[in-house]
Amino acid sequence: MNTTARILDGKQISAVLRGEIKKDVDAFKQQTGSAPGLATILVGDNPASHTYVANKIKACQEVGMLSLHFPMPASTPIEELKKKIRELNADAKVHGILLQLPLPGNADSTPVLEIMDPGKDADGLHPYNLGQLFEYKSWAEMSSGKSPLSCTPHGVIQILLRSKIPIAGRRAVVVGRSKLVGKPVAMMLQALDATVTMCHSRTRDLDAVCREADILVAAIGQPRFVKASMVREGAVVIDVGINRDAAGKLCGDVDFEAVEPKASAITPVPGGVGPMTIAMLLFNTLQLAKKHVKS
């Protein structure tokens, strides 16, 4: 049994990435005389969403980007929200737009996201940009900056790449099929030549399927769902979940204490995928700003 699993430190990796982004932002400012601009929209007063947005604004400012924030009450009609999106589409100072999800009452965000200019989609969640994932034939093409990649899935990939985890030819199992994480991360892993299996609530013998994984990605939003019995010796485990258990303690989708001894490498919660999501948001905003200047 492996008792020294390598901790894939997303906080450390994201700090390096932010340093790279800051240098590029400084160069962009020198070249254009202006900063890449990110507009954030927060509808309602969800405490977790407030924290997420505050962290994104702070990260923006730390790398020298222009941050514009637009808080809106939970009672905001969808048409008014669409109007704000259209205004930001037309604002030359804004290169990236982030609509913090979920919307109040778990309202369908798709009609709002469809209004957004795909060329300003900082979160990579516009239907056009998600659809582009099916067009790319390789990771080189997918990561070329032609369209923004979803932040959390791209963060997962950057953790693997920057940690020099082999992907090509490996068996990858993704637990969860959401459009936010599961589906796009599966497409990205395929672009990197992994053989990918997607699992969900109807998967038969889930434990056995997960045990086939060289790389196991958990993204289902259930506290400590992935147990040691689901992980084979030496697997790389990426935990995308951010939950609170019955005692109110922050935890992921993986039972970290039980799984760590079996894994060759594992991301912690907190400090794993979470910091990478914000770093990739900054990365997308910068890429969109560069693309805007070229056009």
Side-chain angles (χ1 to χ4, degrees), residues 160-263:
L160 294 171
L161 292 176
R162 288 169 179 261
S163 301
K164 297 185 171 15
I165 303 290
I167 301 174
R170 297 299 179 98
R171 287 293 301 270
V173 173
V174 178
V175 186
R177 54 180 172 181
S178 74
K179 73 174 183 180
L180 298 181
V181 181
K183 289 175 182 175
V185 83
M187 295 297 296
M188 293 177 195
L189 286 165
Q190 286 184 66
L192 284 156
D193 298 320
T195 300
V196 183
T197 301
M198 288 190 69
C199 297
H200 45 78
S201 58
R202 298 296 181 88
T203 299
R204 286 184 292 181
D205 202 356
L206 179 61
D207 286 29
V209 176
C210 288
R211 282 195 299 271
E212 295 177 1
D214 299 306
I215 300 169
L216 180 62
V217 180
I220 49 173
Q222 294 189 34
R224 301 190 179 95
F225 179 86
V226 175
K227 307 297 185 186
S229 62
M230 301 168 71
V231 179
R232 74 167 184 78
E233 294 283 345
V236 174
V237 181
I238 306 291
D239 190 349
V240 182
I242 301 177
N243 315 287
R244 291 200 179 273
D245 62 16
K249 183 182 177 183
L250 202 63
C251 65
D253 290 349
V254 175
D255 186 348
F256 185 89
E257 287 75 16
V259 169
E260 182 192 8
K262 293 185 75 174

Side-chain angles (χ1 to χ4, degrees), residues 19-181:
E20 296 169 3
I21 292 168
K22 188 177 188 310
K23 287 181 182 177
D24 281 354
V25 169
D26 290 342
F28 181 90
K29 286 178 176 178
Q30 287 186 346
Q31 178 190 349
T32 67
S34 62
L38 175 66
T40 51
I41 304 172
L42 176 59
V43 184
D45 52 7
N46 181 300
S49 291
H50 269 281
T51 300
Y52 294 149
V53 170
N55 288 339
K56 290 166 183 174
I57 292 170
K58 181 183 176 187
C60 239
Q61 293 167 342
E62 285 175 351
V63 298
M65 289 184 180
L66 173 66
S67 177
L68 303 167
H69 182 52
F70 301 92
M72 305 178 82
S75 58
T76 301
I78 289 294
E79 286 307 314
E80 190 174 330
L81 182 53
K82 287 181 176 180
K83 181 182 176 184
K84 174 54 69 177
I85 297 280
R86 290 189 184 98
E87 288 174 2
L88 295 172
N89 283 345
D91 189 337
K93 298 190 304 296
V94 174
H95 301 102
I97 304 170
L98 169 74
L99 174 63
Q100 181 64 41
L101 300 176
L103 294 175
N106 284 314
D108 184 10
S109 61
T110 302
V112 182
L113 290 172
E114 286 176 341
I115 296 294
M116 190 182 296
D117 178 352
K120 291 193 174 188
D121 172 27
D123 227 2
L125 295 177
H126 189 284
Y128 174 83
N129 291 325
L130 286 173
Q132 284 292 96
L133 294 178
F134 287 86
E135 292 293 322
Y136 298 131
K137 297 177 178 63
S138 67
W139 177 248
E141 191 178 0
M142 190 177 280
S143 61
S144 66
K146 289 182 181 178
S147 60
L149 301 179
S150 307
C151 295
T152 299
H154 194 189
V156 168
I157 297 301
Q158 287 298 323
I159 287 175
L160 294 171
L161 292 176
R162 288 169 179 261
S163 301
K164 297 185 171 15
I165 303 290
I167 301 174
R170 297 299 179 98
R171 287 293 301 270
V173 173
V174 178
V175 186
R177 54 180 172 181
S178 74
K179 73 174 183 180
L180 298 181
V181 181

